[in-house]
């Protein structure tokens, strides 16, 4: 018997119709179909996306739409969707990323054989205009994932499928902008959750022109500082880890974007 699972897909106003359509079609054309697809409108979205989904709902009865009239942020909308989901496993997808046709089949097969795993991710391809830019490879096994969890996000968010109960028991998503997923993995780790990353590349993640811009500059540094400050305030990390991470990330975040791109390419990607 196959494990039943929900897919959660948030959308906000900046998502373009053509990009979203390719992403959505990669979900409904999977070799293993989800039992439920929850689409979240995080505030107003483009009318052509709404019209497209209205037609799809008529055909795919598994699709449900949660509509927020104003933009609430990723942490809030994901938290709500998880509470409303019906099934014990939940897969995360982004509105501008494309899943490979066998993504869910491979992940569910693995989880059926390894029911102790709470959070399962994979490697991803980073693409621009559907051309491969780089590959983001992550550690495979639980212990190696946990060894560095306080220093670097060990899970590719748009590739993940996890146990609903584990996420709820860990406190669910919180409104920690840009770091909603990373904070959640740390909370799962502290609760004794088990991680694994398949080494297949199961998602093509869209890297647009603003990808590096969003991850640099004083504004992004403020969000990172808020994230590590929360970790320290809750006594999750020591002063030593707090200061080390802040020093290293500050030096990178404030670099010129051209240098950041090169660092990603040569040190953080393959």
């Amino acid at each position: 018997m196959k494990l039943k699972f929900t897919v959660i897909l948030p959308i906000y106003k900046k998502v373009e119709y053509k990009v979203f359509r390719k992403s959505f079609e990669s979900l409904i054309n999977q070799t293993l179909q989800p039992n439920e697809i929850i689409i979240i409108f995080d505030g107003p979205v483009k009318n052509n996306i709404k019209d497209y989904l209205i037609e799809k709902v008529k055909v795919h009865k598994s699709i449900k739409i949660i509509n927020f009239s104003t933009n609430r942020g990723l942490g809030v909308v994901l938290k709500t969707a998880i509470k409303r989901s019906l099934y014990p496993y939940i897969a995360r997808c982004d509105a501008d990323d494309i899943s490979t046709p066998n993504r869910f089949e491979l992940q569910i097969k693995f989880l059926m054989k390894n029911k102790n795993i709470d959070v399962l991710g994979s490697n991803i391809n980073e693409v621009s205009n559907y051309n491969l830019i780089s590959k983001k490879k992550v550690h495979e096994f639980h212990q190696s994932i946990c060894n560095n969890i306080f220093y670097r996000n060990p899970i590719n968010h748009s590739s993940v499928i996890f146990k609903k109960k584990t996420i709820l028991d860990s406190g669910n998503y919180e409104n920690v902008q840009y770091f909603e997923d990373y904070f959640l993995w740390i909370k799962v780790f502290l609760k004794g959750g088990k991680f694994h990353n398949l080494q297949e590349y199961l998602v093509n993640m869209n890297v647009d022109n603003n990808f590096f811009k969003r991850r640099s500059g004083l504004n992004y540094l403020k969000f990172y500082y808020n994230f590590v400050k929360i970790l320290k305030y809750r006594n999750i990390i020591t002063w030593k880890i707090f200061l080390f991470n802040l020093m290293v990330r500050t030096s990178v975040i404030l670099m010129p974007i051209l240098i950041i791109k090169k660092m990603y390419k040569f040190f953080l990607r393959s």
Side-chain angles (χ1 to χ4, degrees):
M1 182 178 177
K2 292 287 191 297
L3 299 177
K4 292 187 175 182
F5 68 103
T6 296
V7 168
I8 293 179
L9 178 64
I11 315 171
Y12 75 122
K13 64 182 180 181
K14 291 186 179 180
V15 174
E16 296 295 335
Y17 169 71
K18 288 183 179 179
V19 175
F20 168 76
R21 182 168 177 170
K22 286 183 178 294
S23 175
F24 182 76
E25 288 178 350
S26 78
L27 304 182
I28 60 175
N29 292 321
Q30 288 283 311
T31 56
L32 177 64
Q33 287 291 301
N35 303 93
E36 177 184 46
I37 300 175
I38 297 179
I39 307 291
I40 316 158
F41 294 157
D42 187 10
V45 301
K46 291 179 169 54
N47 286 332
N48 48 7
I49 291 179
K50 284 190 174 182
D51 294 339
Y52 172 76
L53 286 172
I54 288 170
E55 293 303 313
K56 290 299 178 183
V57 168
K58 295 176 183 177
V59 179
H60 300 275
K61 302 303 181 183
S62 61
I63 300 173
K64 299 176 182 178
I65 295 176
I66 299 175
N67 187 25
F68 288 88
S69 58
T70 59
N71 182 265
R72 301 294 301 279
L74 190 61
V76 172
V77 300
L78 290 179
K79 183 175 185 177
T80 301
I82 284 173
K83 288 180 178 179
R84 296 193 191 180
S85 64
L86 295 178
Y87 297 106
Y89 284 86
I90 298 173
R92 266 285 290 119
C93 300
D94 283 332
D96 56 355
D97 296 341
I98 298 174
S99 296
T100 60
N102 63 342
R103 173 190 165 184
F104 297 151
E105 182 179 357
L106 290 177
Q107 290 181 314
I108 292 298
K109 280 183 177 178
F110 180 87
L111 290 169
M112 289 179 68
K113 294 178 181 178
N114 300 273
K115 293 186 179 179
N116 64 315
I117 297 300
D118 297 283
V119 177
L120 176 67
S122 77
N123 295 330
I124 63 172
N125 294 316
E126 294 176 326
V127 300
S128 179
N129 295 320
Y130 308 108
N131 295 315
L132 180 65
I133 300 298
S134 56
K135 292 177 175 286
K136 188 178 178 186
K137 183 178 173 64
V138 282
H139 290 290
E140 181 176 6
F141 297 108
H142 174 76
Q143 192 57 56
S144 56
I145 289 169
C146 294
N147 285 345
N148 297 296
I149 197 166
F150 291 133
Y151 300 100
R152 188 182 175 193
N153 190 339
I155 305 290
N156 290 317
H157 196 196
S158 61
S159 76
V160 79
I161 182 168
F162 46 61
K163 290 179 181 176
K164 176 181 177 179
K165 184 179 185 303
T166 297
I167 299 306
L168 292 177
D169 289 346
S170 301
N172 211 335
Y173 283 93
E174 295 187 44
N175 189 24
V176 185
Q177 191 165 348
Y178 288 110
F179 301 96
E180 297 92 348
D181 59 316
Y182 192 5
F183 191 36
L184 179 59
W185 312 145
I186 288 175
K187 294 194 298 179
V188 170
F189 165 71
L190 294 173
K191 282 286 187 177
K194 300 299 181 184
F195 299 89
H196 190 89
N197 282 313
L198 298 178
Q199 293 304 286
E200 289 86 355
Y201 292 81
L202 298 182
V203 174
N204 291 327
M205 175 181 166
N206 185 49
V207 179
D208 60 22
N209 292 330
N210 293 318
F211 178 84
F212 295 100
K213 193 173 183 179
R214 289 193 299 268
R215 289 158 176 78
S216 62
L218 285 173
N219 196 46
Y220 184 72
L221 180 59
K222 289 177 184 177
F223 289 120
Y224 181 73
Y225 173 73
N226 178 63
F227 167 58
V228 292
K229 185 175 69 172
I230 291 171
L231 294 179
K232 183 64 192 73
Y233 177 77
R234 297 190 188 182
N235 293 316
I236 294 173
I237 60 174
T238 63
W239 276 110
K240 182 179 179 180
I241 295 174
F242 171 82
L243 293 171
F244 175 82
N245 282 341
L246 194 60
M247 179 181 67
V248 171
R249 288 297 186 98
T250 299
S251 64
V252 173
I253 291 170
L254 296 182
M255 285 180 177
I257 292 177
L258 184 60
I259 296 178
I260 293 176
K261 285 183 178 181
K262 290 182 178 180
M263 288 189 66
Y264 265 76
K265 182 176 182 180
F266 292 108
F267 297 107
L268 302 177
R269 302 293 189 267
S270 59

